[in-house]
Amino acid sequence: MKNALRGRTGLAVLGISALLLTGCGNAGSADDTSPAAGGSAAAEGGTSGDVAVDGSSTVAPLSEAAAEQYRTSNDAVNVSVATSGTGGGFQKFCAGETDISNASRPIDEEEMAQCESNGIEYTEVIMANDGLSVVANPANDWAQCLTVEQLQTIWGPESEGEVMSWSDVDPSFPDEPLDLYGAGTDSGTFDYFTEAINGEEGAIRTDYSPSEDDNVTVQGVSGSAGALGFLGLSYAMENPDTLKLIDVDGGEGCITPSEETVQDESYQPLGRPLFIYVANASYQDKSQVQDFVDFYVENSTEIAEAAQFIGLTEEQTQTAQDQLAELN
């Protein structure tokens, strides 16, 4: 499955963004009245209404690309894509405020309980694959590959105020001050990285520069010789002249992050799937939501390529199609 990892300038989003799509499309109708409770009335002979999407800023470009491509077949449906972060998105989703929640990690037990208490049943669908990357300044000529243990030494909570130089990580490294950048606490990237590297979601030293905007991490790492950061792989691939990709040794040797190593699951522990969570009631009761989600899955390869993510494997595609078929 060929999916280029080129730059996705213009798709990355800050704060809340929306795609408003208007026109006609597939047969069917929606007679609901609000985005979370049904959308607008259907146009004659076509599907119309609102689809409310919120959640991960990492996954937002994927859903935005889906909405943009969907417009060519149905521009009478308004698809709004907001970015409250994975956790913030689940709060709204489990409160019944949205139809679809973008997520860069699986829903956790507390969020599951919130959905259950509010009677929100949902279907988890993997829509693409992504890798987290560890990046250094191009001037760094000493660290080509870091083990998970070395990454723990750098990023672990107990390292705060203690591991302040590259020589504290490995005596063979120079006495160059560590300057650390990465995702903020509301990001699914933060949740994923901390659990994968430090063994506990949210466990990290606090003396680093956090941001929900990956471009801030890019700028920080590119501006400091001793800098190290973590962010989505696509952003690293977008900036090959200003960032140096670090290989990661998860126990099976040094692996370079790439489309192939993420998809074949050899890039561990920092390869991951990307999800959408679909409210079952929205899919079953709102024709515009069903039409959009079906389009999303059926065109997942092209959508992933447009958003500069790694496409689904054949097995993942079949699973997604089977999950939606069970909702019909």
Side-chain angles (χ1 to χ4, degrees):
M1 190 177 298
K2 294 185 178 180
N3 292 309
L5 280 173
R6 299 183 296 273
R8 50 189 174 104
T9 303
L11 284 174
V13 290
L14 302 175
I16 295 179
S17 60
L19 292 177
L20 299 180
L21 314 174
T22 54
C24 65
N26 297 333
S29 66
D31 46 13
D32 324 82
T33 57
S34 68
S40 62
E44 263 186 53
T47 300
S48 68
D50 299 323
V51 180
V53 186
D54 203 335
S56 168
S57 60
T58 299
V59 183
L62 189 71
S63 289
E64 289 190 337
E68 188 172 1
Q69 292 187 22
Y70 179 65
R71 177 177 55 190
T72 65
S73 64
N74 189 340
D75 60 359
V77 175
N78 301 323
V79 181
S80 64
V81 182
T83 54
S84 299
T86 295
F90 276 133
Q91 286 182 0
K92 294 182 178 181
F93 181 73
C94 292
E97 297 175 12
T98 58
D99 303 302
I100 297 168
S101 199
N102 292 327
S104 55
R105 58 161 173 80
I107 190 169
D108 65 27
E109 290 185 2
E110 184 176 342
E111 292 156 347
M112 288 180 190
Q114 183 186 0
C115 275
E116 184 176 1
S117 68
N118 291 327
I120 305 297
E121 296 183 350
Y122 56 81
T123 299
E124 175 192 282
V125 183
I126 295 175
M127 289 306 309
N129 298 289
D130 192 20
L132 298 188
S133 58
V134 178
V135 293
N137 187 280
N140 183 325
D141 60 1
W142 57 88
Q144 309 303 323
C145 175
L146 293 172
T147 65
V148 170
E149 289 74 18
Q150 287 174 317
L151 290 172
Q152 290 171 346
T153 297
I154 295 169
W155 290 101
E158 66 282 355
S159 298
E160 184 169 340
E162 299 293 331
V163 179
M164 306 300 291
S165 169
W166 279 93
S167 60
D168 295 330
V169 180
D170 188 315
S172 68
F173 292 160
D175 188 20
E176 179 75 34
L178 276 169
D179 189 11
L180 301 176
Y181 297 84
T185 57
D186 287 336
S187 169
T189 296
F190 171 87
D191 296 337
Y192 185 81
F193 183 83
T194 53
E195 183 171 6
I197 297 302
N198 293 330
E200 180 183 349
E201 188 176 301
I204 195 170
R205 62 192 298 170
T206 62
D207 56 342
Y208 79 104
S209 298
S211 177
E212 308 303 331
D213 178 7
D214 286 336
N215 289 308
V216 173
T217 298
V218 171
Q219 293 167 7
V221 173
S222 63
S224 172
L228 190 74
F230 65 91
L231 74 172
L233 176 59
S234 57
Y235 278 91
M237 301 298 288
E238 180 183 319
N239 295 275
D241 298 327
T242 55
L243 298 177
K244 172 185 174 179
L245 271 175
I246 301 295
D247 293 355
V248 175
D249 183 353
E252 301 294 330
C254 296
I255 302 294
T256 301
S258 68
E259 175 183 342
E260 291 75 17
T261 58
V262 169
Q263 219 171 32
D264 68 17
E265 300 184 356
S266 62
Y267 180 61
Q268 292 297 323
L270 295 180
R272 62 175 178 175
L274 300 176
F275 307 91
I276 63 170
Y277 283 74
V278 181
N280 292 354
S282 291
Y283 184 87
Q284 292 165 341
D285 299 341
K286 307 178 193 179
S287 62
Q288 73 272 26
V289 174
Q290 180 173 348
D291 200 47
F292 173 66
V293 172
D294 287 351
F295 176 91
Y296 203 159
V297 170
E298 289 166 6
N299 297 276
S300 61
T301 298
E302 294 80 5
I303 291 166
E305 183 173 358
Q308 306 309 320
F309 287 113
I310 300 169
L312 299 177
T313 63
E314 290 184 7
E315 182 179 358
Q316 288 172 324
T317 301
Q318 187 61 55
T319 297
Q321 291 172 341
D322 292 343
Q323 288 173 315
L324 296 182
E326 290 178 4
L327 292 178
N328 287 317

